[in-house]
Amino acid sequence: MNKKLLKTLQDKCKDFGLTEKAIEELAQSASEGLTDESSDEDIAKVADSLVPYAKMMQGEITRKTRKQTPKPKTTPKTDGDDGDGDGDFV
């Protein structure tokens, strides 16, 4: 794996909340064709091309974790009760 690509990708994705392993796997999958002699510009292009995938990963993780979070239960209102507890009817 290209270490420069990994470092660049980590910098670009640091606010996404992805694990180090997830970013490493992205970098590993895209490092084919890059060498230690690759220019910083070439590495930045590859990293930029991976950012949308990192955002999708983050979005999917967020969606799945929100789906598992139980919603707070609400008490249904009865007829004539406006919910303020003073017993008046509307």
Side-chain angles (χ1 to χ4, degrees):
M1 173 182 10
N2 188 295
K3 299 292 183 186
K4 289 181 184 179
L5 175 61
L6 178 60
K7 175 67 175 138
T8 303
L9 192 58
Q10 285 173 333
D11 290 342
K12 291 181 180 285
C13 299
K14 64 183 172 192
D15 295 331
F16 292 178
L18 296 174
T19 64
E20 192 173 314
K21 181 172 173 48
I23 295 173
E24 285 176 6
E25 288 179 10
L26 275 174
Q28 178 67 38
S29 67
S31 65
E32 187 174 317
L34 292 177
T35 65
D36 290 336
E37 290 79 34
S38 295
S39 71
D40 290 342
E41 188 176 288
D42 289 340
I43 292 170
K45 281 183 186 178
V46 172
D48 287 340
S49 72
L50 294 174
V51 170
Y53 295 104
K55 284 182 182 180
M56 285 189 289
M57 289 171 63
Q58 188 267 342
E60 187 67 14
I61 292 166
T62 301
R63 183 185 68 80
K64 286 186 176 189
T65 56
R66 284 190 180 158
K67 191 175 187 180
Q68 295 173 357
T69 304
K71 295 181 179 178
K73 294 182 181 180
T74 58
T75 310
K77 293 182 181 179
T78 59
D79 289 341
D81 183 7
D82 62 358
D84 65 359
D86 63 1
D88 61 353
F89 292 98
V90 178

